[in-house]
Amino acid sequence: MRFKLIVALVEDALTDRVMNAAREAGATGATVINNARGEGRHQVRGFLGIEITAQRDVLLFLVDAQKSRAVLDSIADAGEFDETPGTGIAFQLDVEEALGVQSQIQSLNERD
């Protein structure tokens, strides 16, 4: 079985919505790294000139390559990445090999 790694950098308020959308599209789980800091091209200044940065979560999905595009599209739609600047980004990478995913493969086979 071939896998893709989908990496989503998401505004923390959207994490649950993005996770649910990914599951509905075929993701079997994810690793969540909390409290990452995101910065855009321009620093956002708030009260008294103090820099304001929204907290981000990093979501890592190891998904079946055949379902990866559907999961990626669902993540982008749920997070409104193209509609609302600064809400997040997502991209996928090829996975050469993966170990420790036997239960995921079994879960995918049961769904089919």
Side-chain angles (χ1 to χ4, degrees), residues 30-44:
T31 297
V32 180
I33 303 170
N34 293 311
N35 300 320
R37 187 179 81 186
E39 293 189 19
R41 286 183 18 194
H42 306 287
Q43 291 181 333
V44 178

Side-chain angles (χ1 to χ4, degrees), residues 6 8 10 18 21-22 61 70-81 89-90:
I6 297 178
V10 180
V18 168
F61 299 92
V71 173
L72 188 64
D73 289 340
S74 293
I75 288 169
D77 289 343
E80 299 178 356
F81 296 166
I89 63 170

Side-chain angles (χ1 to χ4, degrees), residues 44-83:
V44 178
R45 299 282 181 193
F47 185 67
L48 298 175
I50 298 172
E51 181 181 350
I52 298 173
T53 57
Q55 289 299 312
R56 304 266 183 244
D57 288 338
V58 179
L59 310 178
L60 305 172
F61 299 92
L62 187 64
V63 299
D64 178 7
Q66 293 178 349
K67 297 180 181 187
S68 66
R69 186 59 201 207
V71 173
L72 188 64
D73 289 340
S74 293
I75 288 169
D77 289 343
E80 299 178 356
F81 296 166
D82 289 328
E83 293 82 15

